[in-house]
Amino acid sequence: MNNFLQKILELFTTQDYINSFLRGFLLTLEISFFAIIIGLVLGTIIALIQTAKPSPWLVIPKFICKVYVTIIRGTPMALQLFIMFFIIFSIRNFPELVTAFLAFGLNSAAYTSEIIRGGILSVDKGQTEAGLALGLRPFTIFRKIVAPQTIKNSLPSLSNEIITVIKETAIVSMIGMYDLNMAAKDIGSGQNMSSYIVPMVVAALFYLAVIYLISFAIRKLEKRLRKHD
Amino acid sequence: MIKTRNLKKSFDTVKVINNINFELKPGECVAVIGPSGSGKSTFLRLINRLETPTSGEVYYGSQLITDKNIRLIRRKIGMVFQHFNLINNLTVLENLTLAPTSLRLLSDKAAEEKAFSLLRRIGLYNKRDSYPSSLSGGQQQRVAIIRALMLDPEVLLFDEPTSALDPEMIGEVLDLIRDVLKDGMTAIIVTHEINFAKEVASRIVFIDNGRIVEEGTPNKFFTHPESPRVKDFLSKVL
Ligand SMILES: Nc1ncnc2c1ncn2[C@@H]1O[C@H](COP(=O)(O)OP(=O)(O)OP(=O)(O)O)[C@@H](O)[C@H]1O
Ligand SMILES: [Mg+2]
């Protein structure tokens, strides 16, 4: 036990270790941030296409969205990352950070689209009809009625998805990227630490802290949106 | 004012509205009655095109209603739903001002003034900043009725405005409808409140199986019904 505390102390006082952790932590945050943004934007677009009224020129986009969501949800994230990394973006000098957040963002978009689609479909039909009966334009109905209610309905699941993305980014260490997970492994294996358990526990606490903060913030937002229930 | 010609509507293969020819004259108040599932709501919804006819036409004045012109026509046709359908994420005041301001018919200020005066009329001015979920059913429906009035409609459509209400709230809603109709508002009201229909309607239309089976003045309809179907219905509800 004494030894354990000593190691923790060592970890937080050795500049090299601190630098490694911060470097890894920063990469984890970068990949997560851009992946979540891509996931939300693309996921929303897919959901809008999928829930749009059928029309001849939406047949192909709707089909593409369906195939896309099916493939992404039906294959392992790690495999998608490998394919992106070693095949699609294996062009020389393509920044690996971009490859990574694209891989996670494109993956997250499929799940996000399902969440938002569900949120849109769960808005009571009477709400839209009230807007129609008042002569409002479809866009106004979407902006003033459907969108706010969809956001409120989807927020808990979106929060879940965001958390999942952050944790899942840990697999970039499998393709040799230096994220938080990799930093822990690196510190534990090499240099003078000679303990995996301490850096790994510390890395886990970093993940936990970020995720706790995010769920806390989203819960606050949820409460505010719930004031009209 | 409103006319339907050979109006038909099927859902999949089920014929719900079966050739209805109907005319509503300005100043008339028509009460539509009939058994459950006979197509009364569908008929009303066909008029403001919440349902698209399978065949046949609906005219507003002399204008044939189409997908293209319906949005402008809807401003003139107020609708009150069975389940109120107030917008959940908007306050009472915002529910009232949403349409006139989005459609740029009134300035924000003018819309608010108008909403306030209507809210005072129904005694709910103090609820202006409440959300619909904190109102009773009767209060929600009364707000829904004045929401329809915000656009100064030429016609009002009511689809069983009291049948989702607890009995003790029916009175307040009927009082308001009575008040709205008393100045000669043109309206169609689908209702199970036979006595109310008798009182406010200038004409009763009885729908069964998607057809108009019988129509006439309340007096004639209730005292000397002709069709056996109507006699049977009336013997059960009166
Ligand atoms: N969107 C729809 N899809 C399929 N069937 C429908 C739809 N809307 C209504 N129907 C069917 O059409 C028939 C007539 O329905 P409608 O709601 O017009 O009856 P109603 O006379 O208003 O009945 P109630 O008194 O119960 O309100 C019913 O059998 C109903 O199940
Ligand atoms: Mg009905």
Side-chain angles (χ1 to χ4, degrees), chain B residues 40-41 82 159-160 190:
Chain B
K40 305 181 298 295
S41 299
Q82 183 174 357
D159 189 3
E160 300 196 28
V190 174

Side-chain angles (χ1 to χ4, degrees), chain A:
Chain A
M1 197 61 207
N2 222 349
N3 188 30
F4 186 75
L5 292 176
Q6 214 175 346
K7 292 261 185 221
I8 291 181
L9 192 68
E10 187 187 338
L11 193 71
F12 281 108
T13 48
T14 313
Q15 192 62 45
D16 271 358
Y17 293 157
I18 294 172
N19 287 346
S20 299
F21 255 124
L22 288 181
R23 183 181 150 205
F25 187 50
L26 189 67
L27 186 72
T28 292
L29 289 183
E30 281 173 335
I31 298 174
S32 304
F33 177 79
F34 291 112
I36 288 162
I37 301 290
I38 292 173
L40 286 175
V41 172
L42 188 62
T44 304
I45 294 171
I46 294 173
L48 289 178
I49 293 174
Q50 287 185 319
T51 53
K53 250 200 340 232
S55 83
W57 49 280
L58 274 178
V59 172
I60 291 171
K62 272 177 192 279
F63 178 74
I64 293 174
C65 289
K66 205 171 154 197
V67 171
Y68 180 80
V69 172
T70 306
I71 291 177
I72 296 283
R73 297 208 313 161
T75 54
M77 176 68 234
L79 191 62
Q80 291 166 23
L81 181 67
F82 289 161
I83 291 174
M84 293 280 283
F85 203 80
F86 295 116
I87 301 172
I88 301 178
F89 290 107
S90 60
I91 321 156
R92 259 216 325 220
N93 293 332
F94 194 85
E96 53 175 23
L97 171 66
V98 178
T99 310
F101 70 62
L102 274 178
F104 288 99
L106 294 176
N107 175 273
S108 178
Y111 292 92
T112 304
S113 76
E114 289 289 279
I115 292 168
I116 293 177
R117 194 170 69 101
I120 291 175
L121 294 179
S122 72
V123 176
D124 177 24
K125 238 180 76 196
Q127 299 283 299
T128 314
E129 287 183 350
L132 287 173
L134 288 165
L136 299 179
R137 293 163 56 218
F139 181 70
T140 310
I141 294 174
F142 179 78
R143 197 166 55 96
K144 294 284 182 66
I145 301 172
V146 178
Q149 296 189 26
T150 299
I151 292 171
K152 194 201 76 184
N153 293 344
S154 323
L155 219 45
S157 311
L158 284 178
S159 167
N160 250 335
E161 171 58 19
I162 288 171
I163 289 169
T164 303
V165 171
I166 296 173
K167 291 187 295 188
E168 245 177 5
T169 59
I171 63 174
V172 294
S173 58
M174 286 166 50
I175 52 171
M177 286 180 77
Y178 205 92
D179 73 329
L180 185 54
N181 190 31
M182 182 66 141
K185 217 165 85 187
D186 180 38
I187 294 169
S189 66
Q191 306 165 28
N192 302 312
M193 178 56 75
S194 63
S195 157
Y196 276 115
I197 183 77
V198 172
M200 297 248 162
V201 166
V202 171
L205 290 175
F206 269 81
Y207 280 110
L208 204 58
V210 174
I211 285 163
Y212 181 80
L213 271 175
I214 288 175
S215 19
F216 179 78
I218 295 180
R219 251 201 314 272
K220 274 258 140 117
L221 185 62
E222 242 172 86
K223 249 207 202 117
R224 244 186 50 201
L225 294 179
R226 251 171 222 297
K227 66 183 185 296
H228 49 69
D229 281 350

Side-chain angles (χ1 to χ4, degrees), chain B residues 65-82:
Chain B
I65 297 182
T66 63
D67 282 334
K68 290 230 155 43
N69 64 18
I70 183 60
R71 218 171 63 225
L72 284 175
I73 292 174
R74 278 178 181 146
R75 295 179 185 182
K76 301 183 187 142
I77 307 179
M79 182 152 191
V80 175
F81 299 87
Q82 183 174 357

